[in-house]
Amino acid sequence: DGGITQSPKYLFRKEGQNVTLSCEQNLNHDAMYWYRQDPGQGLRLIYYSQIVNDFQKGDIAEGYSVSREKKESFPLTVTSAQKNPTAFYLCASSIGILGTEAFFGQGTRLTVV
Amino acid sequence: AQTVTQSQPEMSVQEAETVTLSCTYDTSESDYYLFWYKQPPSRQMILVIRQEAYKQQNATENRFSVNFQKAAKSFSLKISDSQLGDAAMYFCAYGRETSGSRLTFGEGTQLTVNP
């Protein structure tokens, strides 16, 4: 079945550590996105990529990094520079053309302990 | 920057009744798209309905319809014959021509359906 797979579902990180969230899609989509979801704030865009080997900062990119070496994969690294990393992270993909549907993964809940 | 506002953090409706969720947005663009996404307790985001700004006709998908008022920058979602499975967080989202398909989301409205 085609879709987006995020792993792990739950992730715990100690303060000061970097952690990488995985996002893989087999929909042959060009565009991929990372959103952060906090209670009462909806979804905020962290980074997005419209083509392999290219990506742009979203609205809240500070403390995060990404790579897009393969069309299918768009991992997100939460670095120690991210001051408040505890949140729910959603990965999405789309064909990349305005107006087309974005498909979402099931999310990763990151907790800093 | 574009903003999307959902002024109703929570709404409730009786099963089989109709409910309307509000959304307003701010933009200087003329070409854009608007979306309603649903996030049930599983937290899987699901597209409910989509509206192209250049279309005057309001979009409908079965029991879901929108009231798109371009001049007022308003985009409300009407759910008819509400079902228990409609209970979820609903997000309004905006996408503009110059940003490809990246979306700006509102804060969400938590919908409860009472049996």
Side-chain angles (χ1 to χ4, degrees), chain A residues 8-93:
Chain A
K9 190 172 183 178
Y10 299 97
L11 189 57
F12 297 88
R13 188 195 91 174
K14 292 183 179 179
E15 284 193 28
Q17 287 183 338
N18 293 354
V19 64
T20 297
L21 283 60
S22 171
C23 178
E24 303 277 334
Q25 55 100 357
N26 60 5
L27 299 167
N28 199 33
H29 285 170
D30 286 316
M32 297 188 74
Y33 314 82
W34 275 104
Y35 289 91
R36 170 177 171 145
Q37 186 176 16
D38 294 286
Q41 295 193 46
L43 279 68
R44 293 181 290 167
L45 183 65
I46 304 172
Y47 267 98
Y48 66 104
S49 167
Q50 293 185 295
I51 197 169
V52 175
N53 292 321
D54 186 46
F55 49 83
Q56 285 79 42
K57 293 182 179 180
D59 301 317
I60 55 165
E62 185 175 353
Y64 300 97
S65 65
V66 294
S67 63
R68 187 83 187 279
E69 297 177 0
K70 299 187 299 182
K71 189 175 186 178
E72 304 79 19
S73 178
F74 191 43
L76 173 74
T77 297
V78 184
T79 75
S80 56
Q82 169 50 235
K83 300 302 180 187
N84 184 21
T86 294
F88 187 67
Y89 292 87
L90 281 161
C91 178
S93 73

Side-chain angles (χ1 to χ4, degrees), chain B residues 8 21 23 61 63 73 84-85 87 91 100:
Chain B
Q8 306 154 316
L21 309 183
C23 173
E61 287 288 343
R63 297 183 295 107
K73 297 178 183 176
L84 295 177
F91 292 98

